[in-house]
Amino acid sequence: MKEKCGLVAVYSYSGKAVMPMIMNSLRALQHRGQESWGVAAPNYPPYKKLGLVAEYNYDFVHVNKSIVTPVGIGHVRYSTIGTSDFRNVQPIQIGNEFLIAHNGTITNSYELEKALGHEFATPTWVSDTHLVGLRLLQLLRQTGYDWFRSFELLSKEVVGAYCFVILTNKGEVYAIRDDRGFRPLCIGRHRDTDSMIIASESCALSILGADLERDVNPGEIIKMSKDGIESYVFSQQSRHAHCAFEYTYFAHPVTYIEGRSVYLARKNVGRELAKRYHPDGDIVIPVPDSARPAALGFYEESGIPFEEGLLKDRYGRKGGLRSFIQPSMEERLAVTRMILPLIEAVRGQDIVVVDDSIVRGISSKQMVRYLKNAGAKKISFLSTFPPITYPCYAGIDFPTKKDLVAYQAGNGSKSIEDINKGVADIIQTDLVGYNDVKGLCDGIGLPESELCISCVTGDYKCFKKMPHLDERKLKK
Ligand code: SF4
């Protein structure tokens, strides 16, 4: 199960009802998962729904009125393997002891299942998050409910990327980030309600008017309880592996990850791209929405005027959906069909299109077709993320190698010239240019040794064990 999701946990030390804060934070994290959502509080059954967070105001009002609690957790989900099975909507109840929510990918579910033995039944629909929860429960029973020790043991067994938030039946919250820090997790304070908030991204704090205090460190567990906040380090690694794709595509531009502004990182990778490619261009335009800061950065470096040449529908229900994280090709195409060319901006122009990435190439080809139909003269298509030619085992749903356009185009070749030319042929444009690894790292402002770029390099050394996806789960 690949879970590219958003997490939130709120603990109010003044006893204020926190469910409205959780719901609003989940709305701010909606870009991380658009398939389902759920919230949980002690002594209430979890409330879960398919679709967008409180799509109908009824849900928002109902949840806030019916779940009155000073502590709770929430989750938005984007799963890409199997169906959006309602039984896997999170948070997931584990025994009578706790509820768990997860962001990441656990790649060795088979081994976890083996470790469970016969103590728990694990039907085929059970997700990897559920398996981790069951194994944690088993370890808790073995260690006399020593939570920190149990996490420490669990972390040695689990392969992959994870952030968890856990709510116990006693109303305590645990938040855990894996020791490489693949996925983001941060902690903040809401002064008006004397609440501590843990969330996947700082945008979930900003929407509440809360202050970002810091990132949860890789290998750290934070406990929030009536006794205050405790921190425990279960593993310290000198090599971190923050996902570079969070900076260029996934995270919200207002978010800060590892002290770096996602917005500025995007602008800077756009600048780096402009240092590497000097195509003919009357205007530079972004593929909306995530590439907009990068196109601005490209304009600032190159001097080619910035224009809005492609507009995403902002009025219909699909306007807020992200094509890349839709669960099927039909749904992805339905979202990209809601992007329209602005004829007056593009007709008769040489255009530089900046996108955050070119993964399958299908939506890029569609954008090129729209622009040509609208009368564009020459189209150069540039990607801020280098060519993706390997799978991701840490929480992003890249297709298999054969569906990755850079892999197809290069025919296995690593030469950037071959890849650029091959992708240009496939998406039927005049020129394609990808950023390189140095441009990406310099733009983000972190050294390569702090980032994960395995999907570009094929080097998975930043994982503690060579990851492999559980084939049985893939076929589910
Ligand atoms: S493999 Fe690529 S998408 Fe996956 S975590 Fe690493 S950088 Fe991010």
Side-chain angles (χ1 to χ4, degrees):
M1 183 74 64
K2 301 178 197 175
E3 305 272 10
K4 188 70 194 72
C5 306
L7 307 172
V8 64
V10 184
Y11 200 112
S12 170
Y13 286 92
S14 62
K16 288 270 182 339
V18 297
M19 204 42 81
M21 294 167 78
I22 292 173
M23 294 289 283
N24 281 321
S25 289
L26 288 182
R27 282 175 162 172
L29 294 172
Q30 189 77 86
H31 58 284
R32 298 186 72 83
Q34 303 185 321
E35 278 180 46
S36 62
W37 61 279
V39 293
N43 307 314
Y44 290 93
Y47 189 92
K48 306 182 191 188
K49 283 258 171 155
L50 296 177
L52 300 178
V53 180
E55 197 164 0
Y56 303 103
N57 202 34
Y58 160 81
D59 276 324
F60 192 77
V61 174
H62 173 72
V63 170
N64 292 339
K65 263 191 172 171
S66 60
I67 308 178
V68 180
T69 173
V71 54
I73 61 173
H75 184 261
V76 285
R77 180 168 182 243
Y78 147 48
S79 78
T80 54
I81 295 173
T83 57
S84 289
D85 192 319
F86 193 74
R87 289 170 293 192
N88 284 325
V89 176
Q90 301 183 25
I92 295 171
Q93 180 77 51
I94 305 293
N96 292 321
E97 276 89 342
F98 61 89
L99 288 125
I100 186 167
H102 171 214
N103 173 204
T105 299
I106 303 301
T107 65
N108 65 333
S109 56
Y110 246 179
E111 286 164 19
L112 285 179
E113 208 169 339
K114 253 199 247 157
L116 283 173
H118 298 294
E119 193 174 343
F120 301 103
T122 53
T124 51
W125 55 264
V126 164
S127 70
D128 299 19
T129 307
H130 203 141
L131 284 171
V132 168
L134 291 174
R135 181 64 183 143
L136 177 60
L137 178 56
Q138 204 172 39
L139 292 170
L140 283 166
R141 289 176 181 171
Q142 286 166 16
T143 59
Y145 286 83
D146 181 336
W147 283 84
F148 291 141
R149 177 74 188 129
S150 301
F151 282 134
E152 199 170 357
L153 293 170
L154 184 71
S155 73
K156 294 193 169 75
E157 294 180 3
V158 166
V159 179
Y162 56 87
C163 289
F164 297 116
V165 290
I166 288 175
L167 176 68
T168 73
N169 57 357
K170 293 185 185 147
E172 299 151 336
V173 170
Y174 292 90
I176 306 106
R177 190 177 185 201
D178 69 55
D179 59 9
R180 303 292 178 165
F182 283 103
R183 307 264 68 93
L185 196 67
C186 64
I187 181 162
R189 182 186 296 273
H190 189 253
R191 292 183 194 280
D192 295 351
T193 58
D194 191 16
S195 301
M196 295 305 296
I197 304 159
I198 290 177
S200 292
E201 290 185 36
S202 61
C203 64
L205 310 176
S206 306
I207 200 170
L208 304 175
D211 301 321
L212 170 65
E213 296 213 324
R214 65 175 177 90
D215 294 291
V216 174
N217 294 318
E220 182 181 15
I221 301 168
I222 290 181
K223 177 184 179 186
M224 301 195 290
S225 71
K226 61 178 173 29
D227 300 325
I229 299 201
E230 290 166 62
S231 161
Y232 177 84
V233 177
F234 63 88
S235 171
Q236 251 175 337
Q237 298 289 337
S238 51
R239 169 64 161 110
H240 295 145
H242 310 303
C243 170
F245 202 62
E246 291 273 358
Y247 287 97
T248 57
Y249 169 75
F250 220 93
H252 195 290
V254 308
T255 283
Y256 290 79
I257 307 174
E258 306 307 317
R260 269 143 192 92
S261 153
V262 170
Y263 176 74
L264 290 182
R266 282 183 194 166
K267 265 184 117 175
N268 288 337
V269 287
R271 281 178 171 275
E272 293 297 325
L273 204 52
K275 289 178 192 165
R276 285 159 177 76
Y277 294 95
H278 308 95
D280 298 331
D282 299 314
I283 56 171
V284 55
I285 67 168
V287 175
D289 276 321
S290 42
R292 184 167 282 110
L296 269 171
F298 192 95
Y299 145 68
E300 287 175 0
E301 184 67 29
S302 68
I304 299 174
F306 175 93
E307 274 282 358
E308 297 274 7
L310 291 163
L311 285 187
K312 195 170 181 182
D313 166 46
R314 290 166 184 154
Y315 311 107
R317 184 185 169 276
K318 290 208 183 301
L321 299 182
R322 305 186 91 182
S323 63
F324 178 74
I325 65 170
Q326 294 307 303
S328 70
M329 186 54 73
E330 293 74 46
E331 285 159 288
R332 283 194 282 276
L333 285 172
V335 174
T336 49
R337 273 197 287 272
M338 302 311 285
I339 294 177
L340 300 173
L342 200 55
I343 293 173
E344 290 307 322
V346 304
R347 187 167 44 206
Q349 305 277 36
D350 286 348
I351 298 176
V352 180
V353 182
V354 174
D355 204 352
D356 53 77
S357 55
I358 309 173
V359 182
R360 299 173 182 89
I362 291 169
S363 63
S364 313
K365 191 172 174 181
Q366 208 169 352
M367 294 308 120
V368 169
R369 199 167 56 234
Y370 287 166
L371 291 169
K372 281 185 180 166
N373 290 346
K377 238 174 30 188
K378 186 173 175 191
I379 302 170
S380 305
F381 207 104
L382 305 180
S383 163
T384 63
F385 205 81
I388 295 165
T389 48
Y390 295 92
C392 171
Y393 296 111
I396 303 274
D397 174 36
F398 290 146
T400 52
K401 261 188 174 183
K402 67 177 176 36
D403 295 319
L404 290 166
V405 70
Y407 182 80
Q408 287 167 27
N411 214 3
S413 163
K414 292 261 185 285
S415 146
I416 190 68
E417 288 77 23
D418 289 349
I419 293 173
N420 285 348
K421 189 174 171 326
V423 175
D425 289 345
I426 292 172
I427 70 170
Q428 294 170 8
T429 194
D430 301 286
L431 179 143
V432 160
Y434 284 94
N435 209 347
D436 56 31
V437 168
K438 184 173 182 329
L440 177 70
C441 299
D442 288 355
I444 292 171
L446 285 172
E448 196 178 332
S449 59
E450 279 291 299
L451 290 166
C452 173
I453 40 171
S454 304
C455 51
V456 175
T457 61
D459 177 352
Y460 294 96
K461 283 206 269 305
C462 55
F463 288 81
K464 71 175 166 225
K465 211 165 138 189
M466 181 58 198
H468 57 279
L469 278 180
D470 181 338
E471 291 300 322
R472 192 195 58 151
K473 295 281 174 196
L474 283 168
K475 289 184 191 123
K476 213 168 67 172

